[in-house]
Amino acid sequence: MKKATKTGRPKKQKSEKRSYRVNVKLNTGEYYMLKGKARSAGMNLSEFVREAICHSEIKERLTPGLNASIRSL
C-alpha cells in the first residue's frame, strides 16, 4: 500500500490568518480617491489599506491646554 502524500498549500498559523473584518462607509469622492491611490500603487484595495495601516503615522490631537497656550501667543 502506498503512503499518502500531502499536497496543496501548507496550513497558515493563527497569527497569519486574516479573521477580522472592518467595514467603513465612504462617500463617492473618498471611495474613488482610495481606489485611485491603490491603482497608482499597483495594489488592490485590501492590500493598500493594510499597508496604510502598518506604515502610516498618526499625530496626536492638541490638548485643550496646549490650544490655549498657542492662542495666547
Side-chain angles (χ1 to χ4, degrees):
M1 193 156 216
K2 289 185 179 180
K3 187 176 180 181
T5 59
K6 284 190 165 188
T7 59
R9 188 183 61 146
K11 296 237 182 228
K12 288 186 175 184
Q13 296 177 357
K14 284 227 179 223
S15 62
E16 293 177 325
K17 288 185 181 182
R18 293 190 171 113
S19 55
Y20 299 99
R21 181 178 292 239
V22 177
N23 294 321
V24 178
K25 289 192 174 197
L26 303 172
N27 64 30
T28 304
E30 293 167 339
Y31 175 73
Y32 284 111
M33 186 183 304
L34 175 63
K35 196 171 178 179
K37 287 182 179 186
R39 187 182 315 123
S40 67
M43 302 177 177
N44 64 33
L45 288 176
S46 298
E47 289 174 321
F48 184 79
V49 171
R50 282 189 206 107
E51 285 293 316
I53 290 169
C54 293
H55 297 19
S56 64
E57 184 178 324
I58 305 299
K59 296 179 183 177
E60 291 183 37
R61 288 185 175 181
L62 298 177
T63 61
L66 189 55
N67 274 337
S69 299
I70 292 171
R71 282 191 203 111
S72 68
L73 290 174

